Coordinates of all heavy atoms in Angstrom, one line a residue:
C32 N 1.8 -22.5 16.3 CA 0.4 -22.2 16.0 C 0.2 -21.3 14.8 O 0.7 -20.2 14.9 CB -0.4 -21.7 17.2 SG -1.1 -22.9 18.2
G33 N -0.3 -21.7 13.7 CA -0.5 -21.0 12.6 C -1.5 -21.7 11.6 O -2.2 -22.6 11.9
G34 N -1.4 -21.4 10.3 CA -2.2 -22.0 9.3 C -1.4 -22.3 8.1 O -0.2 -22.0 8.0
S35 N -2.0 -22.8 7.0 CA -1.3 -23.2 5.9 C -2.0 -22.6 4.7 O -3.2 -22.6 4.6 CB -1.4 -24.8 5.8 OG -0.7 -25.2 4.6
S36 N -1.2 -22.2 3.7 CA -1.7 -21.6 2.6 C -1.5 -22.5 1.3 O -1.4 -22.2 0.3 CB -1.3 -20.2 2.2 OG 0.2 -20.2 2.1
G40 N -5.0 -26.7 1.6 CA -5.7 -25.7 2.4 C -6.5 -24.8 1.7 O -7.6 -24.5 2.1
A41 N -6.2 -24.3 0.5 CA -7.0 -23.5 -0.3 C -8.3 -24.2 -0.8 O -9.4 -23.7 -0.9 CB -6.1 -23.0 -1.5
E43 N -9.6 -26.5 0.7 CA -10.5 -26.8 1.9 C -11.3 -25.5 2.1 O -12.5 -25.5 2.4 CB -9.7 -27.2 3.1 CG -10.4 -27.3 4.4 CD -11.5 -28.6 4.3 OE1 -11.3 -29.4 3.5 OE2 -12.3 -28.6 5.2
G44 N -10.7 -24.4 1.9 CA -11.4 -23.1 2.2 C -12.4 -22.9 1.1 O -13.5 -22.4 1.4
D45 N -12.2 -23.3 -0.2 CA -13.3 -23.2 -1.2 C -14.4 -24.2 -0.9 O -15.6 -23.7 -1.0 CB -12.7 -23.6 -2.6 CG -11.7 -22.5 -3.0 OD1 -11.7 -21.4 -2.6 OD2 -10.9 -22.9 -3.9
A47 N -15.3 -25.1 2.1 CA -16.0 -24.5 3.2 C -17.0 -23.5 3.0 O -18.0 -23.4 3.6 CB -14.8 -24.0 4.2
K48 N -16.7 -22.7 1.9 CA -17.6 -21.8 1.6 C -19.1 -22.3 1.1 O -20.1 -21.7 1.2 CB -17.2 -20.8 0.4 CG -15.9 -19.9 0.8 CD -15.3 -19.1 -0.3 CE -14.1 -18.5 0.1 NZ -13.6 -17.7 -1.1
R51 N -20.2 -25.0 4.8 CA -20.3 -24.6 6.3 C -21.3 -23.5 6.5 O -21.5 -22.7 5.6 CB -18.9 -24.0 6.6 CG -17.7 -24.9 6.7 CD -16.5 -24.3 7.2 NE -15.4 -25.2 7.1 CZ -14.1 -24.8 7.2 NH1 -13.9 -23.4 7.4 NH2 -13.1 -25.6 7.2
K102 N 1.8 -18.3 6.5 CA 0.9 -19.3 6.3 C 1.6 -20.6 5.9 O 1.2 -21.7 6.3 CB -0.2 -19.0 5.3 CG -1.1 -18.0 5.8 CD -2.2 -17.7 4.7 CE -3.3 -16.8 5.1 NZ -4.3 -16.5 4.0
V105 N 3.2 -23.5 8.5 CA 2.4 -24.4 9.4 C 1.3 -25.2 8.9 O 1.0 -25.1 7.7 CB 1.8 -23.6 10.6 CG1 2.9 -22.9 11.4 CG2 1.0 -22.5 10.0
S106 N 0.9 -26.2 9.6 CA -0.3 -27.0 9.3 C -1.0 -27.4 10.5 O -0.6 -27.3 11.6 CB 0.3 -28.3 8.4 OG 1.1 -29.1 9.3
T107 N -2.2 -28.1 10.3 CA -3.0 -28.6 11.3 C -3.5 -30.0 11.0 O -3.6 -30.4 9.7 CB -4.2 -27.7 11.6 OG1 -5.0 -27.5 10.4 CG2 -3.8 -26.4 12.2
G109 N -6.4 -31.1 11.4 CA -7.8 -31.0 10.8 C -7.8 -29.7 10.1 O -7.7 -28.6 10.6
K110 N -8.0 -29.7 8.7 CA -7.9 -28.6 7.9 C -9.0 -27.7 8.3 O -9.0 -26.4 8.0 CB -8.0 -29.0 6.4 CG -6.8 -29.7 5.9 CD -6.9 -30.1 4.4 CE -5.6 -30.7 4.0 NZ -5.7 -31.2 2.6
A111 N -10.2 -28.1 8.8 CA -11.3 -27.2 9.3 C -10.8 -26.3 10.3 O -11.4 -25.2 10.6 CB -12.4 -28.0 9.7
C112 N -9.7 -26.6 11.0 CA -9.3 -25.8 12.1 C -8.2 -24.7 11.6 O -7.7 -23.9 12.5 CB -8.6 -26.6 13.2 SG -9.8 -27.9 13.8
L113 N -7.9 -24.7 10.5 CA -6.9 -23.8 10.0 C -7.2 -22.3 10.3 O -6.3 -21.5 10.7 CB -6.6 -23.9 8.5 CG -5.7 -25.1 8.0 CD1 -5.7 -25.2 6.6 CD2 -4.3 -24.9 8.6
P114 N -8.5 -21.9 10.1 CA -8.8 -20.4 10.4 C -8.4 -20.1 11.9 O -8.0 -18.9 12.1 CB -10.4 -20.4 10.2 CG -10.5 -21.5 9.1 CD -9.6 -22.5 9.5
L115 N -8.7 -21.0 12.9 CA -8.4 -20.8 14.2 C -6.9 -20.6 14.5 O -6.4 -19.8 15.2 CB -8.9 -21.8 15.1 CG -10.4 -21.8 15.5 CD1 -10.9 -23.0 16.2 CD2 -10.6 -20.6 16.3
A116 N -6.1 -21.6 13.8 CA -4.7 -21.5 13.8 C -4.1 -20.2 13.3 O -3.1 -19.6 13.8 CB -4.1 -22.6 13.2
H117 N -4.7 -19.7 12.1 CA -4.4 -18.5 11.7 C -4.5 -17.3 12.6 O -3.6 -16.5 12.8 CB -5.2 -18.2 10.4 CG -4.8 -19.0 9.1 ND1 -5.7 -19.3 8.2 CD2 -3.7 -19.6 8.8 CE1 -5.1 -20.0 7.2 NE2 -3.9 -20.2 7.6
A118 N -5.7 -17.3 13.1 CA -6.0 -16.3 14.2 C -5.0 -16.3 15.4 O -4.5 -15.2 15.8 CB -7.5 -16.4 14.6
Q119 N -4.8 -17.5 15.9 CA -3.9 -17.5 17.0 C -2.4 -17.0 16.6 O -1.7 -16.4 17.5 CB -3.8 -18.9 17.5 CG -3.0 -19.1 18.8 CD -1.5 -19.1 18.7 OE1 -1.0 -19.5 17.7 NE2 -0.9 -18.5 19.7
A120 N -2.0 -17.3 15.4 CA -0.7 -16.9 15.0 C -0.6 -15.5 14.3 O 0.5 -15.1 13.9 CB -0.1 -17.9 14.0
A121 N -1.7 -14.7 14.5 CA -1.7 -13.4 13.8 C -1.5 -13.4 12.3 O -0.8 -12.5 11.8 CB -0.8 -12.5 14.6
V122 N -2.1 -14.4 11.7 CA -1.9 -14.6 10.2 C -3.4 -14.2 9.7 O -4.4 -14.6 10.3 CB -1.6 -16.0 9.9 CG1 -1.8 -16.2 8.3 CG2 -0.1 -16.3 10.3
A123 N -3.4 -13.4 8.6 CA -4.7 -12.9 8.2 C -5.6 -14.2 7.6 O -5.0 -15.1 7.1 CB -4.5 -12.0 7.0
Q124 N -6.8 -14.0 7.8 CA -7.8 -15.0 7.3 C -7.9 -15.0 5.7 O -7.8 -13.9 5.1 CB -9.2 -14.8 8.0 CG -9.1 -15.0 9.4 CD -8.9 -16.3 9.9 OE1 -9.3 -17.4 9.4 NE2 -8.1 -16.4 11.0
G125 N -8.1 -16.1 5.1 CA -8.4 -16.1 3.7 C -7.3 -15.5 2.8 O -6.0 -15.5 3.1
Y168 N -10.2 -6.6 2.9 CA -10.7 -7.5 1.9 C -11.5 -6.9 0.9 O -12.3 -5.9 1.1 CB -11.4 -8.6 2.5 CG -10.7 -9.4 3.6 CD1 -10.4 -9.0 4.8 CD2 -10.2 -10.7 3.2 CE1 -9.7 -9.6 5.8 CE2 -9.5 -11.5 4.1 CZ -9.2 -10.9 5.4 OH -8.5 -11.7 6.4
Q175 N -17.0 -13.0 4.7 CA -16.9 -14.5 4.4 C -15.9 -15.1 5.4 O -15.9 -16.2 5.9 CB -16.6 -14.8 3.0 CG -16.4 -16.3 2.6 CD -17.7 -17.0 2.8 OE1 -18.8 -16.5 2.4 NE2 -17.7 -18.0 3.5
A176 N -14.8 -14.4 5.5 CA -13.6 -14.9 6.4 C -14.1 -15.0 7.9 O -13.8 -16.0 8.4 CB -12.5 -13.9 6.3
L177 N -14.9 -14.2 8.3 CA -15.4 -14.3 9.7 C -16.4 -15.4 9.8 O -16.4 -16.1 10.8 CB -16.1 -12.9 10.0 CG -16.1 -12.6 11.6 CD1 -14.7 -12.7 12.2 CD2 -16.8 -11.4 11.9
T178 N -17.2 -15.7 8.8 CA -18.2 -16.8 8.8 C -17.4 -18.0 8.8 O -17.7 -18.9 9.7 CB -18.9 -16.7 7.5 OG1 -19.8 -15.6 7.4 CG2 -19.8 -18.0 7.4
E179 N -16.3 -18.2 8.0 CA -15.5 -19.4 8.1 C -14.9 -19.6 9.5 O -14.7 -20.8 10.0 CB -14.6 -19.5 7.0 CG -15.2 -19.5 5.6 CD -14.3 -19.6 4.4 OE1 -13.1 -19.6 4.7 OE2 -14.8 -19.3 3.3
L180 N -14.4 -18.6 10.0 CA -13.6 -18.6 11.3 C -14.7 -19.0 12.4 O -14.3 -19.9 13.2 CB -13.1 -17.2 11.6 CG -12.2 -17.1 12.9 CD1 -11.1 -18.1 12.8 CD2 -11.6 -15.8 12.9
K181 N -15.9 -18.5 12.5 CA -16.9 -19.0 13.4 C -17.2 -20.4 13.2 O -17.5 -21.1 14.2 CB -18.3 -18.1 13.2 CG -18.1 -16.6 13.6 CD -19.3 -15.9 13.5 CE -19.2 -14.5 13.9 NZ -20.5 -13.7 13.7
A182 N -17.3 -20.9 11.9 CA -17.5 -22.2 11.6 C -16.4 -23.1 12.3 O -16.7 -24.2 12.8 CB -17.7 -22.6 10.2
A183 N -15.2 -22.7 12.1 CA -14.0 -23.5 12.6 C -14.1 -23.6 14.1 O -13.8 -24.6 14.7 CB -12.8 -22.7 12.3
V184 N -14.7 -22.5 14.9 CA -14.9 -22.6 16.2 C -15.8 -23.8 16.7 O -15.6 -24.6 17.6 CB -15.4 -21.4 16.8 CG1 -15.8 -21.5 18.3 CG2 -14.5 -20.2 16.7
E185 N -16.9 -23.9 15.9 CA -17.9 -25.0 16.2 C -17.3 -26.4 15.9 O -17.4 -27.3 16.6 CB -19.1 -24.8 15.3 CG -20.0 -23.7 15.9 CD -21.3 -23.8 15.2 OE1 -21.5 -24.5 14.1 OE2 -22.3 -23.3 15.8
Q186 N -16.6 -26.5 14.7 CA -16.1 -27.8 14.3 C -14.9 -28.2 15.1 O -14.6 -29.5 15.1 CB -15.8 -27.7 12.8 CG -17.0 -27.5 11.9 CD -16.7 -27.6 10.5 OE1 -15.8 -28.5 10.1 NE2 -17.3 -26.9 9.6
C187 N -14.2 -27.4 15.7 CA -12.9 -27.6 16.3 C -13.0 -27.5 17.9 O -12.0 -27.4 18.6 CB -11.8 -26.9 15.9 SG -11.6 -27.0 14.0
F191 N -7.5 -29.5 18.5 CA -6.7 -29.8 17.3 C -5.1 -29.7 17.5 O -4.8 -29.2 18.5 CB -7.1 -28.9 16.0 CG -6.8 -27.4 16.3 CD1 -5.6 -26.8 15.9 CD2 -7.8 -26.6 17.0 CE1 -5.4 -25.5 16.1 CE2 -7.5 -25.3 17.2 CZ -6.3 -24.7 16.7
A193 N -1.5 -28.2 15.9 CA -0.9 -27.5 15.0 C 0.6 -27.7 14.9 O 1.1 -28.0 16.0 CB -1.0 -25.9 15.2
V205 N -11.6 -25.7 22.5 CA -11.8 -24.3 22.1 C -13.3 -23.9 22.6 O -14.3 -24.6 22.3 CB -11.9 -24.2 20.5 CG1 -12.2 -22.8 20.0 CG2 -10.6 -24.7 20.0
F218 N -16.3 -11.7 17.6 CA -16.4 -12.9 18.5 C -15.0 -13.1 19.2 O -14.1 -12.5 18.8 CB -16.8 -14.1 17.8 CG -15.9 -14.9 17.0 CD1 -15.2 -16.0 17.6 CD2 -15.5 -14.5 15.8 CE1 -14.2 -16.6 16.9 CE2 -14.4 -15.1 15.1 CZ -13.9 -16.2 15.7
V220 N -12.8 -16.3 21.5 CA -12.6 -17.7 22.0 C -11.5 -17.8 22.9 O -10.5 -17.1 22.8 CB -12.6 -18.7 20.8 CG1 -13.8 -18.7 20.0 CG2 -11.4 -18.4 20.0
L222 N -8.5 -20.7 23.7 CA -7.9 -21.9 23.3 C -7.2 -22.5 24.5 O -6.2 -21.9 25.0 CB -6.8 -21.7 22.1 CG -7.4 -20.8 20.8 CD1 -6.2 -20.6 19.9 CD2 -8.4 -21.6 20.2
V236 N -8.3 -15.5 21.6 CA -8.4 -14.9 20.3 C -9.7 -14.1 20.3 O -10.8 -14.4 20.6 CB -8.5 -16.0 19.3 CG1 -8.9 -15.4 17.9 CG2 -7.2 -16.8 19.2
V237 N -9.5 -12.7 19.8 CA -10.6 -11.8 19.7 C -10.6 -11.3 18.3 O -9.4 -11.0 17.7 CB -10.5 -10.7 20.7 CG1 -11.5 -9.6 20.4 CG2 -10.5 -11.1 22.1
V238 N -11.7 -11.3 17.5 CA -11.7 -10.9 16.1 C -12.9 -9.9 16.0 O -14.0 -10.1 16.5 CB -12.0 -12.1 15.3 CG1 -12.0 -11.6 13.8 CG2 -10.9 -13.1 15.4
I245 N -10.7 -6.5 9.0 CA -10.7 -7.4 10.2 C -9.6 -7.2 11.0 O -8.5 -7.2 10.5 CB -10.8 -8.9 9.7 CG1 -12.2 -9.3 9.1 CG2 -10.5 -9.8 10.9 CD1 -12.3 -10.7 8.7
S247 N -7.6 -8.9 14.2 CA -7.6 -10.1 14.9 C -6.5 -10.1 15.9 O -5.4 -9.7 15.7 CB -7.3 -11.2 13.9 OG -7.2 -12.4 14.6
F248 N -6.9 -10.4 17.2 CA -6.0 -10.3 18.3 C -5.7 -11.7 18.9 O -6.6 -12.4 19.2 CB -6.6 -9.5 19.4 CG -7.1 -8.1 19.0 CD1 -8.4 -8.0 18.4 CD2 -6.3 -6.9 19.2 CE1 -8.9 -6.7 18.0 CE2 -6.9 -5.6 18.8 CZ -8.1 -5.6 18.1
S249 N -4.5 -12.0 19.1 CA -4.0 -13.2 19.8 C -3.3 -12.8 21.0 O -2.4 -12.1 21.0 CB -3.1 -14.1 18.9 OG -2.6 -15.2 19.6

Side-chain angles (χ1 to χ4, degrees):
C32 268
S35 173
S36 61
E43 176 69 13
D45 292 339
K48 294 179 182 180
R51 290 182 189 166
K102 286 184 178 180
V105 295
S106 62
T107 55
K110 292 180 180 179
C112 304
L113 280 173
L115 278 173
H117 286 155
Q119 190 282 324
V122 172
Q124 300 295 317
Y168 298 79
Q175 184 61 47
L177 203 58
T178 294
E179 294 179 9
L180 188 52
K181 289 179 179 179
V184 173
E185 285 196 337
Q186 296 189 35
C187 304
F191 61 95
V205 179
F218 77 100
V220 295
L222 306 178
V236 170
V237 178
V238 182
I245 289 179
S247 179
F248 309 82
S249 175

